[in-house]
Amino acid sequence: MVQAYILIQTEVGKASTVADVIAKLPGILQAEDVTGPYDVIVRAQSDSVDDLGRMVVAKIQQVDGITRTLTCPIVHL
Amino acid sequence: MVQAYILIQTEVGKASTVADVIAKLPGILQAEDVTGPYDVIVRAQSDSVDDLGRMVVAKIQQVDGITRTLTCPIVHL
Amino acid sequence: MVQAYILIQTEVGKASTVADVIAKLPGILQAEDVTGPYDVIVRAQSDSVDDLGRMVVAKIQQVDGITRTLTCPIVHL
Amino acid sequence: MVQAYILIQTEVGKASTVADVIAKLPGILQAEDVTGPYDVIVRAQSDSVDDLGRMVVAKIQQVDGITRTLTCPIVHL
Amino acid sequence: MVQAYILIQTEVGKASTVADVIAKLPGILQAEDVTGPYDVIVRAQSDSVDDLGRMVVAKIQQVDGITRTLTCPIVHL
Amino acid sequence: MVQAYILIQTEVGKASTVADVIAKLPGILQAEDVTGPYDVIVRAQSDSVDDLGRMVVAKIQQVDGITRTLTCPIVHL
Amino acid sequence: MVQAYILIQTEVGKASTVADVIAKLPGILQAEDVTGPYDVIVRAQSDSVDDLGRMVVAKIQQVDGITRTLTCPIVHL
Amino acid sequence: MVQAYILIQTEVGKASTVADVIAKLPGILQAEDVTGPYDVIVRAQSDSVDDLGRMVVAKIQQVDGITRTLTCPIVHL
């Protein structure tokens, strides 16, 4: 099982709806609006890094209004 | 009461009109053109961080020609 | 009540101990190691933006091995 | 006369004292702590861009605890 | 002979097809999807820095879905 | 008299024509294609920082294919 | 099995020895000097994302002269 | 023959002496102080990309007070 934070930049004016839509996707644990260089911070979970990559490209990045995503896998050191 | 600097990047050629339009919005104390990685620096004020976030998304980011905003709340340490 | 994500860069080789130490501070809800441009992502909570700023400067930034923190307050739009 | 915003990053834990010291320098109109990628935002004024550059290097950057400054001259378009 | 890594950002949702298309271009040794601030990392080879620059502009940047490329020539110190 | 370097990012595939067009504008001393995070580096000259800002917005940013400009005024310390 | 690119920044003047030392570590497939925002680009392999994170912190970041590492896991979309 | 711009960040307060020292190195065509995210911009020339890389590491990065260099080779597209 792999968890990750996904830091998201949205088109101006879209942060709120982006967070709402992502929050309902499977595998999403949390999706919140923030201020600063990112607009939405998401916590997601999947079976492997490859699955995580596929979830980001096939599900999250399909949400209208997203311009960049930065995936930060959580590691247990 | 919360104040913040909002560092704004605009589409090329739009900096001047963006600053003029933002300067007239409620809650804006100052809006000026700058050179460097940002194009316009704004000083804004609102009742809370949530209000500030809403003002940025609902008012400032609606101004035509803005591509990114970076909100930096002022803190009293 | 204000919550925030705090994205942390550490000195090389210090990510794991930084996360462990921060996790035990008051007001910290979560502190995890990640890969990517940040080394540790923290979720914190305090009474106001000013309190949050003070917590970051007076508590989190005192932890040995931190080089940069980026505070992203959560907003409810 | 030239005015500029100077966006400052400080060593961890030094933001508050950096802002206090800079606020007392000649030519400084304002110096405040912020959260986000910068720690202190300053507004300064001098006779020319060269003077401004000299003020940043000879006065502001001499303040203990500063790691980077980013000068953004205000322009009247 | 000059080799270089080319770090590529793509439009959201396009990383996979961008990597597939680039992998088939002449002079490309490798093209893979990654997570983090870049979406695709390519290894390319050409006769000179000028040729490399031309390859990036005339071949790689023509691939649909690319938003930024960052060319990092390999040097033998 | 103020001189400045202007670091330019272009749309993919447009670097070469952007440099050619800018090189012919008044006040431009040099315009060259580079590899790395910027695509074109320009050296320009004008009467004041305000004039420089106006030249960037009114002349350089009007060139088709530019996505970001970063003006770095030269200072004599 | 997980592979990743690790983009490394070094102290000034240390790029060449950093690449040489990393190249001899277990799990490293390639380590080369580059120009641009990064100084060394490494390709590494390990059993899982957690192992990869541990290798970066426990092995690579222990190499003298490294200031930042950016791990980009390769994903198969 | 290869020419390049080298964008340099210095320790606070060191920009002026860094530019002076670099200007006297062999292969340096120009070295000037700037404001913005970089402190000194240098134009250099050498026989090949490898030579350029060696010049940066062996000569320029040895100058006291430099914290980062970003080499941008000029390309003729």
Side-chain angles (χ1 to χ4, degrees):
Chain A
M1 191 66 80
V2 175
Q3 290 204 359
Y5 284 105
I6 304 165
L7 313 177
I8 296 177
Q9 296 183 328
T10 69
E11 292 171 24
V12 290
K14 295 284 183 67
S16 176
T17 46
V18 164
D20 289 351
V21 173
I22 291 177
K24 287 166 198 149
L25 295 177
I28 301 301
L29 306 177
Q30 224 162 20
E32 289 161 309
D33 295 294
V34 293
T35 74
Y38 307 103
D39 304 303
V40 177
I41 293 184
V42 168
R43 190 183 178 113
Q45 164 173 291
S46 69
D47 284 344
S48 68
V49 180
D50 285 349
D51 275 350
L52 185 69
R54 271 178 228 122
M55 178 204 286
V56 171
V57 168
K59 296 279 170 57
I60 295 177
Q61 295 191 343
Q62 302 309 320
V63 174
D64 183 56
I66 293 181
T67 55
R68 284 290 303 158
T69 67
L70 170 51
T71 304
C72 303
I74 295 172
V75 291
H76 304 92
L77 302 178
Chain B
M1 190 68 79
V2 175
Q3 290 204 359
Y5 284 105
I6 304 165
L7 313 178
I8 296 177
Q9 296 182 328
T10 68
E11 292 172 23
V12 290
K14 295 283 183 68
S16 176
T17 46
V18 164
D20 288 350
V21 173
I22 291 177
K24 287 166 198 149
L25 295 176
I28 302 301
L29 307 177
Q30 224 162 18
E32 291 160 309
D33 295 294
V34 293
T35 74
Y38 307 104
D39 303 305
V40 176
I41 293 183
V42 167
R43 191 184 178 112
Q45 164 173 290
S46 68
D47 284 345
S48 68
V49 179
D50 286 349
D51 274 350
L52 185 68
R54 271 179 229 121
M55 178 203 286
V56 170
V57 168
K59 296 279 169 57
I60 295 177
Q61 295 191 342
Q62 303 308 322
V63 174
D64 181 56
I66 292 180
T67 55
R68 283 293 301 159
T69 67
L70 170 51
T71 303
C72 303
I74 295 172
V75 290
H76 303 92
L77 302 178
Chain C
M1 191 66 78
V2 174
Q3 290 203 359
Y5 285 104
I6 304 165
L7 313 177
I8 296 177
Q9 297 182 328
T10 68
E11 292 172 23
V12 289
K14 295 284 183 68
S16 176
T17 46
V18 164
D20 288 351
V21 173
I22 291 177
K24 288 166 196 149
L25 295 177
I28 302 301
L29 305 177
Q30 225 162 16
E32 291 161 307
D33 294 294
V34 293
T35 73
Y38 307 104
D39 303 303
V40 177
I41 294 184
V42 167
R43 190 184 179 113
Q45 165 171 290
S46 68
D47 284 345
S48 68
V49 180
D50 286 348
D51 275 350
L52 185 68
R54 271 177 229 123
M55 178 204 285
V56 171
V57 168
K59 296 281 169 56
I60 294 177
Q61 294 191 343
Q62 302 309 320
V63 175
D64 182 57
I66 293 180
T67 54
R68 285 290 303 158
T69 67
L70 171 51
T71 303
C72 304
I74 296 172
V75 291
H76 304 92
L77 302 177
Chain D
M1 191 67 78
V2 175
Q3 290 204 0
Y5 285 104
I6 304 165
L7 314 177
I8 296 177
Q9 295 182 328
T10 69
E11 292 170 23
V12 290
K14 296 283 183 69
S16 176
T17 47
V18 164
D20 288 350
V21 173
I22 291 177
K24 288 165 196 150
L25 295 176
I28 301 302
L29 306 177
Q30 224 162 20
E32 291 161 308
D33 295 294
V34 293
T35 73
Y38 307 104
D39 303 303
V40 177
I41 294 184
V42 168
R43 190 183 178 113
Q45 165 171 289
S46 69
D47 284 345
S48 68
V49 180
D50 285 349
D51 274 350
L52 184 70
R54 272 178 228 121
M55 178 203 285
V56 171
V57 169
K59 296 280 168 57
I60 295 177
Q61 295 192 342
Q62 302 309 319
V63 175
D64 182 58
I66 293 180
T67 55
R68 284 292 304 159
T69 67
L70 170 50
T71 304
C72 303
I74 295 172
V75 291
H76 304 92
L77 302 178
Chain E
M1 191 67 79
V2 175
Q3 291 204 359
Y5 284 104
I6 303 164
L7 314 177
I8 296 177
Q9 296 182 328
T10 68
E11 291 170 24
V12 290
K14 295 284 184 68
S16 176
T17 46
V18 164
D20 289 351
V21 173
I22 291 177
K24 287 167 196 148
L25 295 177
I28 301 301
L29 306 177
Q30 224 161 19
E32 291 161 308
D33 294 294
V34 293
T35 73
Y38 307 104
D39 303 304
V40 177
I41 294 185
V42 168
R43 190 184 178 113
Q45 164 172 289
S46 69
D47 283 345
S48 68
V49 180
D50 285 349
D51 275 351
L52 185 69
R54 272 178 228 122
M55 178 204 285
V56 171
V57 168
K59 296 279 169 58
I60 294 177
Q61 295 191 343
Q62 302 309 320
V63 175
D64 182 57
I66 293 181
T67 54
R68 283 292 303 159
T69 67
L70 171 51
T71 304
C72 303
I74 295 173
V75 291
H76 304 91
L77 301 178
Chain F
M1 192 67 79
V2 174
Q3 291 203 359
Y5 284 104
I6 304 165
L7 313 177
I8 296 177
Q9 295 183 328
T10 69
E11 291 170 24
V12 290
K14 296 284 183 70
S16 176
T17 47
V18 164
D20 288 351
V21 173
I22 291 177
K24 287 165 197 150
L25 295 176
I28 301 301
L29 307 178
Q30 225 162 18
E32 290 160 308
D33 294 295
V34 293
T35 73
Y38 306 104
D39 302 305
V40 177
I41 293 185
V42 168
R43 190 183 177 113
Q45 165 172 288
S46 69
D47 284 345
S48 68
V49 179
D50 285 349
D51 275 350
L52 185 70
R54 272 178 228 122
M55 178 204 285
V56 170
V57 168
K59 296 280 168 58
I60 295 177
Q61 295 191 344
Q62 302 309 321
V63 174
D64 183 56
I66 292 180
T67 53
R68 282 293 302 159
T69 67
L70 170 52
T71 303
C72 304
I74 295 172
V75 290
H76 304 91
L77 301 178
Chain G
M1 192 67 79
V2 175
Q3 290 203 0
Y5 284 104
I6 304 165
L7 313 178
I8 296 176
Q9 296 183 327
T10 69
E11 292 172 22
V12 290
K14 296 283 183 68
S16 175
T17 46
V18 164
D20 289 351
V21 173
I22 292 177
K24 288 166 196 149
L25 295 176
I28 302 301
L29 307 177
Q30 225 162 18
E32 291 161 308
D33 295 294
V34 293
T35 74
Y38 307 103
D39 303 304
V40 177
I41 294 184
V42 167
R43 191 184 177 111
Q45 166 172 288
S46 69
D47 284 345
S48 68
V49 179
D50 285 349
D51 275 350
L52 185 70
R54 273 178 228 124
M55 177 203 286
V56 170
V57 168
K59 296 281 168 57
I60 294 177
Q61 295 191 342
Q62 302 308 321
V63 175
D64 182 56
I66 293 180
T67 54
R68 283 291 304 158
T69 67
L70 171 50
T71 303
C72 303
I74 295 172
V75 291
H76 304 92
L77 302 177
Chain H
M1 191 67 79
V2 174
Q3 290 203 0
Y5 284 104
I6 304 165
L7 314 177
I8 296 177
Q9 295 183 328
T10 69
E11 292 170 24
V12 289
K14 296 283 183 69
S16 177
T17 47
V18 164
D20 289 350
V21 173
I22 291 177
K24 289 166 195 149
L25 294 176
I28 301 303
L29 306 177
Q30 225 163 19
E32 290 161 308
D33 294 294
V34 294
T35 73
Y38 307 104
D39 303 302
V40 177
I41 294 185
V42 167
R43 191 184 177 113
Q45 166 172 288
S46 68
D47 283 345
S48 68
V49 179
D50 285 349
D51 275 350
L52 185 70
R54 273 179 227 121
M55 178 204 284
V56 170
V57 168
K59 296 279 168 58
I60 294 177
Q61 294 191 343
Q62 302 309 320
V63 174
D64 183 57
I66 293 180
T67 54
R68 283 292 304 160
T69 67
L70 171 50
T71 304
C72 304
I74 295 172
V75 291
H76 304 92
L77 301 178

